[in-house]
Structure formats: structure tokens, C-alpha cells
Amino acid sequence: MINIAWDMTSFLGLTDHPGELLGPGVLIPPQAMRDLVADAQIRRLLFHPLTGELLDATPDAVRPSAPLAGFVALRDVNPTTPTAGPTGSAAGAGSGDLDHAIPRSNGGPTTRANLHSPTRRWHRAKTLAGWTVEHNDDGGWTWTSPVGRTYRTEPHDYRLGP
């Protein structure tokens, strides 16, 4: 499956903006997008027009469903882990782990607001080494070390392209 993002006004033919091939962030000209979507199976991704945050409603379950896991990877685009220094990652969000920010054992729900895409290294730091992660109101994530130092990640903004 190939994931592309394109604004609704261009999809409807009202504007002529390029689309984006998600992952590598390649821009696709409007006419090529029209050719691609003519025979494509469309998956609707709604994002907030002011913040660029991907929006969705998902059910609660013990294990994330495949659509929910796919949504989280599309929303996060890259791992939701600190990128400063050699521990950051530019890999796609779907290549890492899927983690409950508030663990299920502590009452954390299996929802888009509580799931994120850390790398395996940062997931283990949270699970085994005393780090915590919190979802911010703007869609970003704040990691707190065992000594209280914080690191913030920014959410992907679909309006900006790659």
C-alpha cells in the first residue's frame, strides 16, 4: 500500500496543489495526483486546518486494531522520540514500536491520544529505565527523564509537506 496526502480542494479540482508521497516526502504534481487517485482505493485522512494534526475517532481495545495502528503511524510520520543527539531517528513511525503513553496496567486506554510511535530504544527507556512520556494538547509529546529533564517532540504538520 502506498500512502499519499492531498488537500480536499485540489482533489475536488478547485485548487492545483501538489500531493505528498508519505514516507520519503516526495511532492507529486497535481495532474499526476489526479491520475493516481482515479483508480485508487481512497482512505480518508482528516487533519485540522489550523494545526495540521491528523484527526480521527477510534474505539478502545486492549490491542490496537490494524486501522488504529496505521492511523498512529500516519499521524506521527516519524518516531515520537527525542531527536537531539545520536539517539534520534528519521525512520518512519511504522518502523518502530506502538506504545501506550499511559500503560494499560495503569488504566491507559487504547486510543489515538494515548498511542504513539517510539523507537525500540526509547520504548525500552520508558518501560525499563524510568522515563515517562505525555501527549501534549497540540499533538506533540513530552519525554521526561528519571532526573526530571524534559524533551519535547513536535507533531507532523501535513500543511507543510515533506
Side-chain angles (χ1 to χ4, degrees), residues 13 46 57 75 83 87 103 105 135 144 150 152 160:
L46 300 176
R75 179 201 62 201
T83 56
T87 58
S105 60
H135 191 219
T144 304
T150 60
R152 181 171 160 63
L160 301 177

Side-chain angles (χ1 to χ4, degrees), residues 21-70:
L21 178 61
L22 299 179
V26 174
L27 291 180
I28 302 170
Q31 187 53 52
M33 286 296 292
R34 286 182 186 85
D35 293 342
L36 279 172
V37 299
D39 295 320
Q41 186 177 33
I42 303 296
R43 180 178 184 188
R44 184 184 65 195
L45 301 175
L46 300 176
F47 61 91
H48 194 287
L50 299 177
T51 66
E53 177 187 5
L54 190 61
L55 303 172
D56 191 24
T58 57
D60 188 21
V62 174
R63 290 181 181 241
S65 65
L68 178 56

